[in-house]
Amino acid sequence: MPQNVPDFPTLLRSAHRTAVHLEMRDSYGVAGEAEEFEQWKRTGEVDLDPESEGWSGWVPLVRETIARGVVMRRARIVSEPVSEYIRYEHATTSVNLAAGEQVRWLPRRKALDVALPGADFWLFDDRLVRFNIFTGDGDWADPRFEITDNPAVVQLCSSAFESVWERGVPHEKYAV
């Protein structure tokens, strides 16, 4: 495992071809989105403006990455019927698409025979994996992530992502 762990923007900026993200939880409880999630639960309204302050940390980074020719794909494995959090996440995904990401959804029952790693991850250029580590309540654990370039782990994550992607439903066609 590399000793000097770069932050996420640095990792994404180091990608030359691909950056893929596999999400496998039915809910997340990270503090940074708690207020918006609560507002959505009360009102059904969510910030869908990619130019807004709320998306200023993500959208420009994705656009910069896409402009360099990097393909960004995100796949989500979800239980059905979907959780309230997944409905919220689905409602905000149009911003990911507007920024240039490709997103697919896979019902968990269609992933039963896929060998999956034990945590959500980002995979950069099929060479480096960043695992996102969460508590049981869905908040960030301490440490928040682990990173590895172990070829066997890279291969597991690449194979898992590609299997999920192949079976996944494009966002525009996935109804929650």
Side-chain angles (χ1 to χ4, degrees):
M1 185 171 305
Q3 292 297 326
N4 296 322
V5 179
D7 64 13
F8 183 79
T10 300
L11 287 170
L12 195 53
R13 287 182 177 115
S14 75
H16 298 291
R17 297 179 327 280
T18 61
V20 301
H21 186 36
L22 182 61
E23 299 176 11
M24 299 180 284
R25 296 181 56 95
D26 287 321
S27 74
Y28 295 85
V30 295
E33 62 188 23
E35 186 177 320
E36 185 175 340
F37 181 45
E38 288 303 317
Q39 176 186 325
W40 175 81
K41 288 193 298 187
R42 284 190 315 276
T43 68
E45 296 176 10
V46 68
D47 177 9
L48 296 178
D49 178 5
E51 309 307 321
S52 74
E53 179 65 28
W55 289 99
S56 65
W58 185 248
V59 170
L61 182 60
V62 172
R63 287 179 175 160
E64 168 193 319
T65 302
I66 300 297
R68 290 192 340 267
V70 176
V71 175
M72 287 185 68
R73 297 181 294 159
R74 179 185 302 256
R76 295 174 171 143
I77 299 173
V78 295
S79 299
E80 292 180 321
V82 299
S83 67
E84 187 171 38
Y85 182 86
I86 293 300
R87 286 196 320 272
Y88 159 75
E89 196 171 52
H90 189 273
T92 64
T93 297
S94 63
V95 177
N96 298 83
L97 298 173
E101 287 185 71
Q102 300 171 43
V103 180
R104 291 189 181 178
W105 303 81
L106 183 66
R108 193 170 308 281
R109 65 180 160 25
K110 292 186 177 182
L112 298 178
D113 61 344
V114 177
L116 298 167
D120 292 6
F121 65 86
W122 279 91
L123 173 61
F124 304 96
D125 292 332
D126 286 321
R127 64 174 176 78
L128 188 68
V129 177
R130 175 187 154 156
F131 288 106
N132 293 337
I133 310 298
F134 298 96
T135 65
D137 293 335
D139 202 353
W140 289 110
D142 184 21
R144 291 179 173 213
F145 58 88
E146 292 188 19
I147 192 166
T148 184
D149 57 4
N150 178 302
V153 175
V154 167
Q155 177 56 40
L156 169 66
C157 292
S158 178
S159 175
F161 182 87
E162 293 305 330
S163 292
V164 171
W165 187 259
E166 180 179 304
R167 298 172 187 197
V169 177
H171 174 75
E172 301 81 9
K173 294 180 180 180
Y174 185 74
V176 295

